[in-house]
């Protein structure tokens, strides 16, 4: 793939009024850094408010370059897919293909150089980048944090999949059949299908995303449930 003409950040959110501001602040910083490095690449953020009953919509309202979408599905697979489809329509209407999609979560904070690295990987010919996450240290007990590090590696070639740190071309997404409408592990299913389709893939720990270590789950059997299994 040549350097993308557009980058879309997709963020599903379900009752995330507390953590969403920090997420969007970090994404805005990453967008600013991307524009400084690649001024010809357009960027837009799509927040999918999925069955929200709190003030998440007010958090998003008025933020420049951020599009709010709504769904009542209560399903993260549907929410992520909704965001990608909106991003695809935006890219097509703006004439800025090809599109690169960066996926994160509303309880996560991305590093400033996150999008710049994704664009570099896309320009190098990659179609799918699978990144890593790190739980916010203060959210876990010392024992749980130690257990996390014992079970995880941030080295290239790792075998982890996190929707909070994914990047892919729209073409790769289509070839994989998109995010399935499932309440959890939609990220794992997409990556498995993309790899089966033969897309050029990189699993890297170069740009980790910091995510919440909470144990109150938004998705059944998801990341919060996993942290609970560590004794968090």
């Amino acid at each position: 793939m040549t350097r993308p003409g557009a980058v879309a950040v997709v963020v599903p959110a379900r009752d995330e009024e507390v953590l969403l501001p920090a997420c969007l602040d970090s994404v805005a910083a990453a967008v600013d850094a991307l524009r400084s490095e690649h001024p010809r690449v357009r960027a837009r953020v799509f927040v999918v408010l999925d069955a929200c009953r709190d003030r998440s919509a007010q958090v998003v309202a008025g933020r420049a370059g951020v599009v709010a979408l709504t769904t009542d599905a209560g399903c993260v697979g549907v929410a992520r897919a909704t965001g990608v489809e909106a991003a695809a329509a935006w890219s097509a209407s703006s004439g800025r293909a090809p599109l690169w999609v960066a996926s994160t979560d509303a309880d996560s904070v991305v590093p400033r150089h996150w999008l710049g690295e994704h664009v570099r990987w896309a320009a190098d010919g990659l179609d799918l980048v699978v990144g890593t996450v790190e739980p916010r240290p203060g959210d876990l007990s010392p024992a749980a944090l130690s257990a996390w590090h014992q079970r995880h590696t941030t080295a290239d070639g790792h075998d982890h999949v996190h929707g909070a740190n994914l990047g892919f071309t729209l073409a790769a997404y289509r070839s994989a059949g998109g995010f399935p409408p499932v309440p959890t592990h939609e990220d794992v299913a997409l990556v498995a299908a993309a790899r089966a389709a033969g897309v050029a893939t990189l699993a890297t720990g170069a740009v980790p995303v910091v995510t919440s270590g909470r144990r109150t789950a938004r998705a059944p059997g998801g990341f919060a449930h996993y942290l609970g299994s560590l004794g968090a």
Side-chain angles (χ1 to χ4, degrees), residues 89-228:
W90 162 71
S91 176
S93 66
S94 66
R96 289 283 184 161
L99 172 66
W100 182 269
V101 178
S103 168
T104 191
D105 286 341
D107 66 340
S108 301
V109 172
V110 305
R112 182 174 175 83
H113 60 298
W114 187 56
L115 295 177
E117 288 297 287
H118 277 256
V119 167
R120 180 178 65 80
W121 286 318
D124 286 344
L126 290 164
D127 295 307
L128 172 68
V129 174
V130 185
T132 58
V133 302
E134 297 177 353
R136 195 166 50 220
D139 290 349
L140 302 182
S141 68
L145 188 60
S146 175
W148 165 269
H149 287 296
Q150 289 174 13
R151 298 186 188 186
H152 290 77
T153 176
T154 58
D156 286 355
H158 66 81
D159 59 359
H160 313 303
V161 177
H162 301 284
N165 196 0
L166 284 178
F168 46 83
T169 63
L170 182 60
Y173 179 79
R174 297 281 192 238
S175 70
F179 283 114
V182 294
T184 191
H185 303 315
E186 77 296 334
D187 44 4
V188 175
L190 178 75
V191 170
R195 285 171 168 163
V199 307
T201 305
L202 171 68
T204 179
V207 190
V209 166
V210 176
T211 196
S212 167
R214 67 184 174 199
R215 273 77 70 200
T216 302
R218 295 297 190 271
F223 191 66
H225 180 268
Y226 175 75
L227 289 178

